[in-house]
Amino acid sequence: MAGFWFTEKQTDHFGITMRVNQTLHTEQTDFQKLDMVETEEFGNMLLLDGMVMTTQVDEFVYHEMVAHPILNTHPNPEAVLVVGGGDGGVLREIMKHDKVEKAVLVDIDGKVIEYSKKYLPEIACELDNPRVEVKVDDGFMHIINSKDMYDVIMVDSTEPVGPAAPLFERGFYQGIYEALKEDGMFVAQTDNPWFKADLIQKVSRDVREIFPVTRTYIANIPTYPSGMWTFTLGSKKYDPLAVKVEEIPDLPTKYYSPELHHACFVLPKFVKALVE
Ligand code: PUT
């Protein structure tokens, strides 16, 4: 039988394995190893440095959950920045919000954008929207050089290794604070509580020291390590838990809903213990 079994090692002793039918593209970019493969169970899948970034089948969970909780909390998210996110999935969700006048996406690796457009077209479909500006650049430097510019910043990075490692440092969150307007807010993907508990604890502490409102929420993403994924939100003013359910628009989504807007912040006790 053609194809092979791919394993993403999530710790030295544990991994997730799935059947790959064929490799569609593979290359070492200037920043990371990029593989686009066709899987049996999850459709086309983007791997960076051997880690699952997105798949056609479960991508909606992650992309919706980065974009909608924050955009349905900020009352006027006109200027939005996405750091990373070159596959375009978060942007696709952002474009569902009419209040967003301009979304800037800064990804360090143009190859991610190029091959997502080719092999993940339903994820990358809004990258050429006229309300979107795509920059192939260093997101960290973009943040450091932006002051008082954005209403909302979303950090859609890889895991905290390789080019993404600086995006989990306290200095980066301080830079985000300064890049935001006076009532701005940000959200970052912050990995999983089973194998990255220390990271979540540290990020939550750092963000809490900088932002008056800090919240952690979770989503279930089957192809990510452990399946349970966290997001950390920092806000200068608005609290996602203060938003009334009946005021949240029912967008065309498959995971996020007005009810889930609140429910996703209810954490299992062992996760809650990490962020308090
Ligand atoms: N940006 C997606 C996060 C990757 C998790 N493997």
Side-chain angles (χ1 to χ4, degrees), residues 27-264:
E27 79 172 85
Q28 179 66 45
T29 74
D30 289 343
F31 303 96
Q32 52 210 344
K33 173 95 185 323
L34 184 156
D35 292 289
M36 192 69 77
V37 298
E38 179 198 296
T39 70
E40 181 64 35
E41 208 72 55
F42 283 90
N44 291 352
M45 174 169 79
L46 170 65
L47 303 167
L48 293 177
D49 287 335
M51 295 175 288
V52 176
M53 290 301 121
T54 198
T55 82
Q56 284 178 312
V57 171
D58 69 349
E59 59 86 9
F60 66 92
V61 183
Y62 177 83
H63 295 133
E64 290 178 15
M65 291 304 284
V66 173
H68 300 308
I70 194 164
L71 289 177
N72 284 330
T73 299
H74 196 294
N76 207 16
E78 288 175 4
V80 176
L81 171 68
V82 181
V83 176
D87 56 54
V90 167
L91 263 180
R92 182 195 63 205
E93 297 305 312
I94 293 171
M95 289 298 103
K96 293 177 181 171
H97 292 257
D98 295 338
K99 285 182 182 169
V100 175
E101 290 177 358
K102 171 103 186 250
V104 178
L105 179 136
V106 183
D107 196 298
I108 200 165
D109 197 338
K111 296 285 184 182
V112 172
I113 299 169
E114 180 182 341
Y115 287 100
S116 297
K117 283 183 171 177
K118 184 163 182 189
Y119 292 111
L120 304 169
E122 62 297 307
I123 299 177
C125 56
E126 295 286 4
L127 281 164
D128 295 320
N129 187 308
R131 286 192 286 152
V132 169
E133 181 184 354
V134 175
K135 295 183 179 193
V136 176
D137 211 343
D138 182 337
F140 189 94
M141 290 315 294
H142 184 90
I143 287 286
I144 298 303
N145 294 326
S146 304
K147 300 287 172 231
D148 202 16
M149 275 180 67
Y150 295 105
D151 298 299
V152 167
I153 295 175
M154 303 178 192
V155 185
D156 176 7
S157 67
T158 58
E159 272 87 344
V161 289
L167 307 185
F168 292 81
E169 297 299 330
R170 192 185 190 287
F172 182 62
Y173 303 125
Q174 184 63 44
I176 286 181
Y177 186 91
E178 285 158 30
L180 286 167
K181 295 182 191 168
E182 63 179 3
D183 61 349
M185 53 199 299
F186 92 102
V187 67
Q189 72 87 0
T190 43
D191 220 301
N192 79 88
W194 288 98
F195 310 131
K196 294 287 174 54
D198 292 352
L199 175 88
I200 293 170
Q201 218 162 11
K202 179 193 154 328
V203 167
S204 174
R205 192 175 50 235
D206 287 347
V207 174
R208 230 179 306 128
E209 282 171 11
I210 299 170
F211 286 84
V213 181
T214 304
R215 302 281 179 210
T216 303
Y217 60 95
I218 52 173
N220 170 248
I221 306 172
T223 59
Y224 283 5
S226 89
M228 181 187 276
W229 211 249
T230 71
F231 304 83
T232 303
L233 182 151
S235 172
K236 293 186 180 182
K237 184 170 178 183
Y238 309 113
D239 184 348
L241 296 180
V243 179
K244 294 198 177 75
V245 178
E246 52 280 12
E247 285 169 11
I248 300 174
D250 199 5
L251 295 162
T253 51
K254 290 195 278 181
Y255 188 89
Y256 176 85
S257 67
E259 292 75 22
L260 196 81
H261 179 96
H262 283 265
C264 67

